[in-house]
Amino acid sequence: PSLSAIRRRKAGELLSRTGQVSPAYFRMAAGLSQSQLADLIGTSQPSIARLEAGLERPSYDKLVKLQSALGVSFDQLMEALNNVPNEG
């Protein structure tokens, strides 16, 4: 299987385990690594990692880019972000 297929499978496993969508779920469902998503939206991989861990909240501009890159609605993305505990 391709890396994208493996990431999509892991997304399903994540959703089954947590019962909630998250930014990591949408990224994996899109078949993207953190680095690939970062490249698509013009940011760094550590920034994506912080966002997925709840250590960073994205700006509006980054939200729009994330929404487009992940192929999700704004509401879906906001729900996913709200499902991540805010550690920062």
Side-chain angles (χ1 to χ4, degrees):
S2 70
L3 282 176
S4 292
I6 292 168
R7 287 186 186 108
R8 284 194 273 293
R9 186 182 79 238
K10 287 183 184 258
E13 293 169 1
L14 177 65
L15 183 59
S16 293
R17 189 173 66 246
T18 64
Q20 296 181 326
V21 295
S22 66
Y25 166 79
F26 285 132
R27 175 182 54 77
M28 288 186 274
L32 298 170
S33 68
Q34 288 181 342
S35 294
Q36 289 168 323
L37 179 57
D39 288 345
L40 283 173
I41 69 167
T43 193
S44 66
Q45 179 275 325
S47 178
I48 298 297
R50 287 189 302 272
L51 182 139
E52 290 182 357
L55 299 173
E56 180 178 302
R57 287 294 183 180
S59 66
Y60 179 78
D61 288 341
K62 192 180 282 187
L63 282 172
V64 171
K65 291 176 184 178
L66 282 166
Q67 170 191 351
S68 176
L70 296 173
V72 298
S73 72
F74 188 80
D75 288 341
Q76 289 172 312
L77 183 56
M78 291 306 298
E79 176 187 352
L81 289 167
N82 288 330
N83 286 335
V84 176
N86 188 352
E87 302 291 333

